Amino acid sequence: AASDRILVLINLSGGNDGLNTVVPYADSRYFNARPNIKLPTDQVLKLNSDLALHPSMGAVQDMFKSGTAAVVSNVGYPYQDRSHFRSTDIWNSASDAEEVLFTGWIGRYIEKSHPEYPAQLPVAPFAIQVSSSTSLLLQGEVGNTGIAIDNPDRFYNLAKGLGSSDSPVPATLAGPELKYVREILEQSNTFSTAINQAMLGSTTNAQYDTDNFASQLKVVARLINGGLGTTVFVVTLGGFDTHSAQMAQQATLLNRLSRGIKSFFDDITASGNANRVT
């Protein structure tokens, strides 16, 4: 619960092929099971005598060698139904395979750490998902514990002009709905000020690629380097539903992932924040 620690979660949307990401190159079963999409032993980036990274992940291999990246392999759940959707729900909610939860593990953690929420708003959002909407991951028992922003400048420009009346809500069916809208307005105004100050108080300290994923990480680094009090960030790299033409498509995506992570790490290292961020 240390207040200065930050978690950045990267969602590989679509169902990434984990065996071609962290490759068990010393296991003959890997090669026997996938004759058409196996990665040759002489091309993979070896981590140790058993595991290697995809050939496109050279930047992450460099981080691994320097001790700034780690690999936790073979994470899953028993008796998989092989549904991307159900698996996504399970990892967002941290439920058992036969259990369905409607809250996320981050949402539950934040609510437990901040029992005063939502009656008392923080200065900065507890969590930010760089997207048009938040996922189950941030859903708590009493509401959503994070916000979604796809563009910090646009969010600030929108929120700074929003006003809310102090007049009592009407005793009608619409009263509770109006009360909810006013609460969101108040929350947006509060958060937009903190987000804008963090963006204005920081710079970009590394070279990023121009793709959308790199842009998401660039925004997150700016917010961290600018001193925003948010402790959880969620970004997404899509396109991993590779039912066909996987070899070329996954290579492109994993290169984008690897380079984006390295740029982000270089950025927060230059600002002295690397040891605060996982």
Side-chain angles (χ1 to χ4, degrees):
S3 61
D4 67 332
R5 301 294 172 171
I6 296 169
L7 176 66
V8 179
L9 293 164
I10 300 172
N11 175 30
L12 308 184
S13 180
N16 179 41
D17 179 358
L19 287 174
N20 273 22
T21 304
V22 180
V23 187
Y25 72 93
D27 192 330
S28 61
R29 291 172 297 178
Y30 165 77
F31 298 96
N32 295 334
R34 42 180 61 203
N36 298 320
I37 58 170
K38 63 180 180 291
L39 295 172
T41 301
D42 61 350
Q43 294 182 17
V44 296
L45 306 176
K46 296 177 182 178
L47 301 176
N48 55 30
S49 59
D50 299 308
L51 298 175
L53 292 176
H54 188 282
S56 295
M57 299 186 70
V60 169
Q61 185 197 34
D62 291 342
M63 292 177 64
F64 183 87
K65 289 178 178 179
S66 67
T68 55
V71 174
V72 182
S73 61
N74 300 321
V75 177
Y77 64 92
Y79 312 113
Q80 294 191 36
D81 63 7
R82 302 189 179 185
S83 162
H84 300 340
F85 306 102
R86 179 62 189 137
S87 295
T88 300
D89 285 346
I90 287 171
W91 84 53
N92 280 333
S93 65
S95 70
D96 290 333
E98 68 280 2
E99 176 187 26
V100 176
L101 297 179
F102 297 96
T103 58
W105 65 272
I106 289 290
R108 295 194 301 272
Y109 171 79
I110 289 174
E111 283 187 341
K112 186 173 182 180
S113 302
H114 301 277
E116 75 284 359
Y117 181 80
Q120 181 179 334
L121 287 177
V123 173
F126 296 122
I128 291 178
Q129 184 159 353
V130 186
S131 175
S132 57
S133 62
T134 56
S135 67
L136 172 65
L137 179 73
L138 304 180
Q139 183 66 37
E141 294 285 354
V142 297
N144 205 296
T145 59
I147 66 169
I149 56 171
D150 56 359
N151 183 296
D153 294 328
R154 188 160 60 239
F155 176 75
Y156 173 72
N157 290 330
L158 173 67
K160 72 177 181 180
L162 299 177
S164 178
S165 172
D166 293 330
S167 61
V169 296
T172 66
L173 290 175
E177 311 303 330
L178 178 59
K179 181 175 181 290
Y180 173 74
V181 170
R182 288 180 178 178
E183 288 174 351
I184 296 299
L185 289 175
E186 178 187 352
Q187 182 174 316
S188 296
N189 281 322
T190 299
F191 292 164
S192 68
T193 300
I195 290 169
N196 185 59
Q197 289 176 345
M199 291 294 286
L200 292 176
S202 63
T203 58
T204 299
N205 307 299
Q207 186 70 39
Y208 288 85
D209 292 342
T210 57
D211 59 88
N212 177 264
F213 174 66
S215 297
Q216 293 178 59
L217 288 176
K218 186 177 179 179
V219 167
V220 172
R222 283 282 299 274
L223 294 174
I224 291 172
N225 294 340
L228 188 69
T230 298
T231 54
V232 178
F233 294 91
V234 184
V235 299
T236 300
L237 176 58
F240 285 94
D241 215 348
T242 54
H243 290 284
S244 62
Q246 173 175 291
M247 298 301 280
Q249 189 172 344
Q250 192 189 31
T252 298
L253 291 171
L254 291 181
N255 179 256
R256 194 170 295 166
L257 171 72
S258 182
R259 288 173 59 85
I261 290 174
K262 182 63 166 58
S263 295
F264 173 77
F265 185 75
D266 289 345
D267 198 343
I268 59 173
T269 298
S271 64
N273 288 307
N275 288 336
R276 299 174 53 223
V277 181
T278 298

